[in-house]
Amino acid sequence: SRSDGLRLRIFMNSFFQLVARHRVLASTLFLAIFPFIMPYEALAINILIFGLFAMGFNLLFGYMGLLSFGHAAFLGMGSYLTGISIVHYGMPWGYAILVGIVGAAIGGLIMGYLAIRTRGIYFSMVTLALGQIVYYIFYKAESLTGGENGLRGVRVDEFNILGIPVDFLNPLVKYYIILFFVVLAIWLISRILSSPLGAVMEAIRENEKRAAACGFDVARTKLLVFVLSAAICGLAGSLRALHLSIVPIDSLHYLQSGQAVMMSILGGMGTFFGPFIGAAVMLYLEDVVTTFTKHWMAVVGLVFMFFVLFFPKGIWGTILSKLQINQDSK
């Protein structure tokens, strides 16, 4: 009946408002049960890692309005620097992750300093060119990176937590260890968006000239957000290296940057959890469709076009938009 439908809409509005207020806790609870929803743990881990990659990218794209085609460089830097630290220097994996994050942040500082001098499509093209330079550097450093064969032997041996042995090769154990780092990153992103910096980011996205007229340092804010985005993507790369035990050269390829763009748009750019949903849908579709045809990219492309044409706000963005309309019409 009509009254039942109204009650359902009120309940849904209240529920999503509660989720929005406690988005880190809600995200953590959902991700904690996520591996039991997926067909197998390896897929859940891939979604977890690429969801973090898309969220890091969305910090720059969705909240600052800067479209980068070079973010694969930071995913690859995190992967390679973590792998090199473990394979060539015998560094403990925890410190190796830190090396990957710091290395990606430094790379973001250099690339961002050069890219923020441009705007619009020129910014996108500059980031693409710089990303390909990074790809070429790591491709040619065969003694460290393995060249086109990638870096192999990134192993995490059994370790103890409070005297309890932990086997990283166990897929479920690996998922929850990676989840720990992902939750820390989600908390950091939430804090950034809730801080004055988050408000400045959105002000710049909406009207850069007006933000500058209000006294905000636009160039410095862009550079800071670029570095933060690179560091988060570097963390995703570091976790991917530990997950795969190898670092493929395609970690640095521009197609990975394209995936981040698609995941953000598919889930809902400029939304907190949308890019993660986009990553989940895209990777799950890939996993299902590849069992029927090798042309899975065509199917995913059609799905992407459908959402761009009919749901331009993305999956999560459309849901939030519909709930807002219902709330305003009550």
Side-chain angles (χ1 to χ4, degrees):
S1 66
R2 186 174 181 179
S3 60
D4 291 336
L6 180 60
R7 289 194 195 96
L8 178 61
R9 286 197 297 270
I10 294 173
F11 171 77
M12 293 299 294
N13 282 330
S14 301
F15 174 75
F16 277 95
Q17 287 173 7
L18 181 65
V19 169
R21 284 197 298 269
H22 305 283
R23 56 190 178 189
V24 176
L25 177 60
S27 301
T28 302
L29 293 175
F30 173 75
L31 293 176
I33 64 171
F34 189 65
F36 303 103
I37 301 173
M38 291 292 101
Y40 51 94
E41 291 87 352
L43 177 59
I45 295 172
N46 278 332
I47 292 174
L48 194 63
I49 292 170
F50 276 94
L52 178 61
F53 177 44
M55 290 183 79
F57 171 78
N58 186 58
L59 195 64
L60 184 71
F61 177 45
Y63 289 98
M64 281 287 292
L66 298 176
L67 176 57
S68 167
F69 286 141
H71 261 53
F74 310 126
L75 181 76
M77 281 183 190
S79 293
Y80 270 110
L81 293 177
T82 296
I84 290 170
S85 299
I86 294 173
V87 174
H88 294 291
Y89 297 100
M91 192 176 290
W93 63 273
Y95 292 107
I97 289 177
L98 184 61
V99 170
I101 296 171
V102 173
I106 294 173
L109 179 63
I110 297 171
M111 287 180 60
Y113 179 77
L114 297 172
I116 62 171
R117 299 168 180 268
T118 58
R119 295 181 181 179
I121 189 63
Y122 302 104
F123 175 86
S124 301
M125 291 300 100
V126 168
T127 54
L128 175 62
L130 292 172
Q132 288 305 103
I133 291 173
V134 174
Y135 175 92
Y136 182 79
I137 291 172
F138 279 87
Y139 182 82
K140 287 299 182 180
E142 293 188 31
S143 59
L144 287 175
T145 65
E148 64 180 354
N149 295 319
L151 179 66
R152 302 177 183 275
V154 186
R155 295 190 302 271
V156 177
D157 297 324
E158 185 177 292
F159 58 95
N160 294 326
I161 297 179
L162 300 177
I164 302 173
V166 177
D167 182 14
F168 194 76
L169 295 179
N170 185 310
L172 198 58
V173 171
K174 182 192 295 185
Y175 177 88
Y176 285 109
I177 292 173
I178 291 175
L179 176 61
F180 171 78
F181 292 98
V182 171
V183 168
L184 288 179
I186 289 175
W187 173 83
L188 176 62
I189 293 171
S190 179
R191 292 295 299 167
I192 291 170
L193 296 178
S194 301
S195 70
L197 174 61
V200 175
M201 289 163 55
E202 296 192 34
I204 293 173
R205 180 191 65 190
E206 296 303 320
N207 194 317
E208 183 176 323
K209 292 183 179 179
R210 183 176 297 174
C214 291
F216 297 118
D217 192 331
V218 173
R220 184 175 295 180
T221 303
K222 285 183 177 180
L223 183 58
L224 176 59
V225 175
F226 199 102
V227 172
L228 290 170
S229 176
I232 293 169
C233 293
L235 172 60
S238 298
L239 297 174
R240 186 171 186 245
L242 299 181
H243 167 50
L244 297 177
S245 298
I246 63 170
V247 182
I249 190 62
D250 65 4
S251 298
L252 291 159
H253 200 271
Y254 63 85
L255 290 178
Q256 298 286 3
S257 298
Q259 276 195 322
V261 176
M262 291 179 67
M263 290 171 181
S264 295
I265 295 176
L266 187 61
M269 62 179 185
T271 61
F272 181 73
F273 203 63
F276 196 98
I277 293 175
V281 171
M282 187 170 172
L283 294 179
Y284 183 78
L285 270 177
E286 176 186 345
D287 184 72
V288 171
V289 174
T290 48
T291 60
F292 301 103
T293 175
K294 62 181 180 180
H295 304 294
W296 65 270
M297 292 185 71
V299 177
V300 173
L302 290 173
V303 172
F304 178 74
M305 288 175 58
F306 172 81
F307 276 96
V308 168
L309 291 173
F310 299 102
F311 301 96
K313 294 183 180 180
I315 298 171
W316 189 244
T318 301
I319 293 173
L320 296 179
S321 177
K322 293 294 184 183
L323 289 172
Q324 185 64 42
I325 291 172
N326 290 335
Q327 183 180 354
D328 291 342
S329 62
K330 282 195 300 181

mmCIF file of all heavy atoms in Angstrom, residues 25 35 47 56-57 62 73 104 110 125 154 168 178 196 209 219 232 237 241 270 278-279 298 303 310:
data_model
loop_
_atom_site.group_PDB
_atom_site.id
_atom_site.type_symbol
_atom_site.label_atom_id
_atom_site.label_comp_id
_atom_site.label_asym_id
_atom_site.label_seq_id
_atom_site.Cartn_x
_atom_site.Cartn_y
_atom_site.Cartn_z
ATOM 1 N N LEU A 25 32.799 3.204 10.084
ATOM 2 C CA LEU A 25 32.335 1.998 10.775
ATOM 3 C C LEU A 25 31.478 1.148 9.851
ATOM 4 O O LEU A 25 31.640 -0.088 9.802
ATOM 5 C CB LEU A 25 31.534 2.393 12.016
ATOM 6 C CG LEU A 25 30.916 1.241 12.820
ATOM 7 C CD1 LEU A 25 32.003 0.303 13.324
ATOM 8 C CD2 LEU A 25 30.075 1.777 13.975
ATOM 9 N N PRO A 35 34.175 -11.083 2.190
ATOM 10 C CA PRO A 35 34.707 -12.320 1.582
ATOM 11 C C PRO A 35 33.727 -13.490 1.607
ATOM 12 O O PRO A 35 33.850 -14.422 0.805
ATOM 13 C CB PRO A 35 35.952 -12.624 2.427
ATOM 14 C CG PRO A 35 35.746 -11.903 3.693
ATOM 15 C CD PRO A 35 34.984 -10.665 3.342
ATOM 16 N N ILE A 47 39.154 -7.040 -5.214
ATOM 17 C CA ILE A 47 38.197 -5.936 -5.104
ATOM 18 C C ILE A 47 38.606 -4.990 -3.984
ATOM 19 O O ILE A 47 38.504 -3.766 -4.117
ATOM 20 C CB ILE A 47 36.781 -6.491 -4.867
ATOM 21 C CG1 ILE A 47 36.280 -7.223 -6.125
ATOM 22 C CG2 ILE A 47 35.814 -5.377 -4.482
ATOM 23 C CD1 ILE A 47 34.955 -7.933 -5.943
ATOM 24 N N GLY A 56 41.401 6.236 -3.715
ATOM 25 C CA GLY A 56 42.511 7.183 -3.743
ATOM 26 C C GLY A 56 42.452 8.073 -4.965
ATOM 27 O O GLY A 56 42.682 9.288 -4.882
ATOM 28 N N PHE A 57 42.139 7.483 -6.119
ATOM 29 C CA PHE A 57 42.003 8.257 -7.349
ATOM 30 C C PHE A 57 40.826 9.230 -7.251
ATOM 31 O O PHE A 57 40.910 10.378 -7.704
ATOM 32 C CB PHE A 57 41.803 7.303 -8.536
ATOM 33 C CG PHE A 57 41.437 7.989 -9.819
ATOM 34 C CD1 PHE A 57 42.392 8.630 -10.581
ATOM 35 C CD2 PHE A 57 40.119 7.998 -10.248
ATOM 36 C CE1 PHE A 57 42.052 9.269 -11.764
ATOM 37 C CE2 PHE A 57 39.764 8.634 -11.425
ATOM 38 C CZ PHE A 57 40.734 9.269 -12.183
ATOM 39 N N GLY A 62 37.093 12.955 -8.101
ATOM 40 C CA GLY A 62 35.725 13.224 -7.685
ATOM 41 C C GLY A 62 35.580 14.467 -6.823
ATOM 42 O O GLY A 62 34.599 15.198 -6.939
ATOM 43 N N ALA A 73 50.898 5.029 -12.375
ATOM 44 C CA ALA A 73 52.288 5.208 -11.949
ATOM 45 C C ALA A 73 52.422 5.003 -10.439
ATOM 46 O O ALA A 73 53.395 4.388 -9.971
ATOM 47 C CB ALA A 73 52.777 6.600 -12.342
ATOM 48 N N ALA A 104 55.659 6.424 -3.520
ATOM 49 C CA ALA A 104 54.547 6.896 -4.350
ATOM 50 C C ALA A 104 54.217 8.354 -4.039
ATOM 51 O O ALA A 104 53.890 9.134 -4.947
ATOM 52 C CB ALA A 104 53.324 6.013 -4.134
ATOM 53 N N ILE A 110 56.437 15.083 -7.305
ATOM 54 C CA ILE A 110 57.132 15.508 -8.527
ATOM 55 C C ILE A 110 56.144 15.653 -9.689
ATOM 56 O O ILE A 110 56.113 16.682 -10.376
ATOM 57 C CB ILE A 110 58.246 14.493 -8.878
ATOM 58 C CG1 ILE A 110 59.303 14.459 -7.771
ATOM 59 C CG2 ILE A 110 58.883 14.843 -10.227
ATOM 60 C CD1 ILE A 110 60.310 13.343 -7.915
ATOM 61 N N MET A 125 46.557 15.056 -20.100
ATOM 62 C CA MET A 125 47.599 14.611 -21.024
ATOM 63 C C MET A 125 48.987 14.649 -20.381
ATOM 64 O O MET A 125 49.820 13.778 -20.626
ATOM 65 C CB MET A 125 47.573 15.473 -22.282
ATOM 66 C CG MET A 125 46.339 15.275 -23.162
ATOM 67 S SD MET A 125 46.165 13.562 -23.768
ATOM 68 C CE MET A 125 44.935 12.909 -22.625
ATOM 69 N N VAL A 154 58.153 -11.991 -4.240
ATOM 70 C CA VAL A 154 57.727 -11.090 -3.156
ATOM 71 C C VAL A 154 56.954 -11.937 -2.139
ATOM 72 O O VAL A 154 55.730 -12.055 -2.205
ATOM 73 C CB VAL A 154 56.853 -9.942 -3.700
ATOM 74 C CG1 VAL A 154 56.549 -8.947 -2.581
ATOM 75 C CG2 VAL A 154 57.544 -9.247 -4.858
ATOM 76 N N PHE A 168 50.240 -15.967 6.083
ATOM 77 C CA PHE A 168 49.777 -15.014 5.077
ATOM 78 C C PHE A 168 49.301 -15.718 3.815
ATOM 79 O O PHE A 168 48.576 -15.131 3.006
ATOM 80 C CB PHE A 168 50.903 -14.034 4.742
ATOM 81 C CG PHE A 168 50.449 -12.818 3.977
ATOM 82 C CD1 PHE A 168 49.769 -11.789 4.608
ATOM 83 C CD2 PHE A 168 50.701 -12.706 2.619
ATOM 84 C CE1 PHE A 168 49.349 -10.675 3.897
ATOM 85 C CE2 PHE A 168 50.282 -11.592 1.906
ATOM 86 C CZ PHE A 168 49.606 -10.566 2.546
ATOM 87 N N ILE A 178 45.098 -7.424 4.877
ATOM 88 C CA ILE A 178 44.988 -6.326 3.908
ATOM 89 C C ILE A 178 43.862 -5.379 4.313
ATOM 90 O O ILE A 178 43.979 -4.155 4.177
ATOM 91 C CB ILE A 178 44.771 -6.890 2.493
ATOM 92 C CG1 ILE A 178 46.043 -7.604 2.019
ATOM 93 C CG2 ILE A 178 44.377 -5.804 1.503
ATOM 94 C CD1 ILE A 178 45.919 -8.300 0.673
ATOM 95 N N PRO A 196 38.617 20.972 7.146
ATOM 96 C CA PRO A 196 38.546 22.168 6.294
ATOM 97 C C PRO A 196 39.149 21.953 4.913
ATOM 98 O O PRO A 196 38.685 22.550 3.933
ATOM 99 C CB PRO A 196 39.342 23.211 7.090
ATOM 100 C CG PRO A 196 39.188 22.777 8.523
ATOM 101 C CD PRO A 196 39.175 21.278 8.474
ATOM 102 N N LYS A 209 38.193 29.884 -9.562
ATOM 103 C CA LYS A 209 38.479 31.319 -9.470
ATOM 104 C C LYS A 209 37.858 31.931 -8.229
ATOM 105 O O LYS A 209 38.461 32.778 -7.563
ATOM 106 C CB LYS A 209 37.973 32.025 -10.723
ATOM 107 C CG LYS A 209 38.745 31.670 -11.989
ATOM 108 C CD LYS A 209 38.234 32.452 -13.193
ATOM 109 C CE LYS A 209 39.031 32.093 -14.445
ATOM 110 N NZ LYS A 209 38.545 32.831 -15.648
ATOM 111 N N ALA A 219 46.807 26.378 -5.876
ATOM 112 C CA ALA A 219 47.917 25.544 -6.359
ATOM 113 C C ALA A 219 48.439 24.632 -5.259
ATOM 114 O O ALA A 219 48.682 23.439 -5.486
ATOM 115 C CB ALA A 219 49.035 26.433 -6.895
ATOM 116 N N ILE A 232 47.850 7.061 -1.226
ATOM 117 C CA ILE A 232 46.816 6.039 -1.039
ATOM 118 C C ILE A 232 46.881 5.006 -2.157
ATOM 119 O O ILE A 232 46.768 3.796 -1.910
ATOM 120 C CB ILE A 232 45.430 6.699 -0.971
ATOM 121 C CG1 ILE A 232 45.333 7.548 0.296
ATOM 122 C CG2 ILE A 232 44.324 5.655 -0.984
ATOM 123 C CD1 ILE A 232 44.127 8.459 0.339
ATOM 124 N N GLY A 237 49.017 -0.355 -4.276
ATOM 125 C CA GLY A 237 50.032 -1.075 -5.041
ATOM 126 C C GLY A 237 50.876 -1.974 -4.158
ATOM 127 O O GLY A 237 51.194 -3.114 -4.527
ATOM 128 N N ALA A 241 51.220 -6.120 -4.430
ATOM 129 C CA ALA A 241 52.466 -6.875 -4.564
ATOM 130 C C ALA A 241 52.520 -8.023 -3.567
ATOM 131 O O ALA A 241 52.925 -9.146 -3.902
ATOM 132 C CB ALA A 241 53.665 -5.944 -4.364
ATOM 133 N N GLY A 270 32.951 11.423 -6.689
ATOM 134 C CA GLY A 270 32.578 12.432 -5.706
ATOM 135 C C GLY A 270 31.739 11.892 -4.566
ATOM 136 O O GLY A 270 31.226 12.666 -3.759
ATOM 137 N N GLY A 278 32.027 0.600 -7.531
ATOM 138 C CA GLY A 278 32.389 0.498 -8.942
ATOM 139 C C GLY A 278 33.438 -0.569 -9.175
ATOM 140 O O GLY A 278 33.357 -1.343 -10.137
ATOM 141 N N ALA A 279 34.435 -0.647 -8.295
ATOM 142 C CA ALA A 279 35.478 -1.670 -8.416
ATOM 143 C C ALA A 279 34.888 -3.065 -8.229
ATOM 144 O O ALA A 279 35.233 -4.004 -8.959
ATOM 145 C CB ALA A 279 36.571 -1.419 -7.378
ATOM 146 N N ALA A 298 34.495 -6.119 -23.807
ATOM 147 C CA ALA A 298 33.374 -5.577 -24.574
ATOM 148 C C ALA A 298 32.115 -5.539 -23.721
ATOM 149 O O ALA A 298 31.352 -4.556 -23.757
ATOM 150 C CB ALA A 298 33.142 -6.416 -25.828
ATOM 151 N N VAL A 303 28.301 -2.291 -20.306
ATOM 152 C CA VAL A 303 27.709 -1.971 -19.001
ATOM 153 C C VAL A 303 28.097 -0.557 -18.583
ATOM 154 O O VAL A 303 27.275 0.225 -18.099
ATOM 155 C CB VAL A 303 28.151 -3.000 -17.939
ATOM 156 C CG1 VAL A 303 27.702 -2.563 -16.545
ATOM 157 C CG2 VAL A 303 27.598 -4.376 -18.269
ATOM 158 N N PHE A 310 22.522 6.432 -18.766
ATOM 159 C CA PHE A 310 21.255 6.448 -18.040
ATOM 160 C C PHE A 310 21.397 6.719 -16.542
ATOM 161 O O PHE A 310 20.425 7.107 -15.894
ATOM 162 C CB PHE A 310 20.520 5.124 -18.254
ATOM 163 C CG PHE A 310 20.191 4.848 -19.696
ATOM 164 C CD1 PHE A 310 20.937 3.954 -20.445
ATOM 165 C CD2 PHE A 310 19.141 5.519 -20.307
ATOM 166 C CE1 PHE A 310 20.640 3.705 -21.772
ATOM 167 C CE2 PHE A 310 18.829 5.277 -21.639
ATOM 168 C CZ PHE A 310 19.587 4.378 -22.374
#
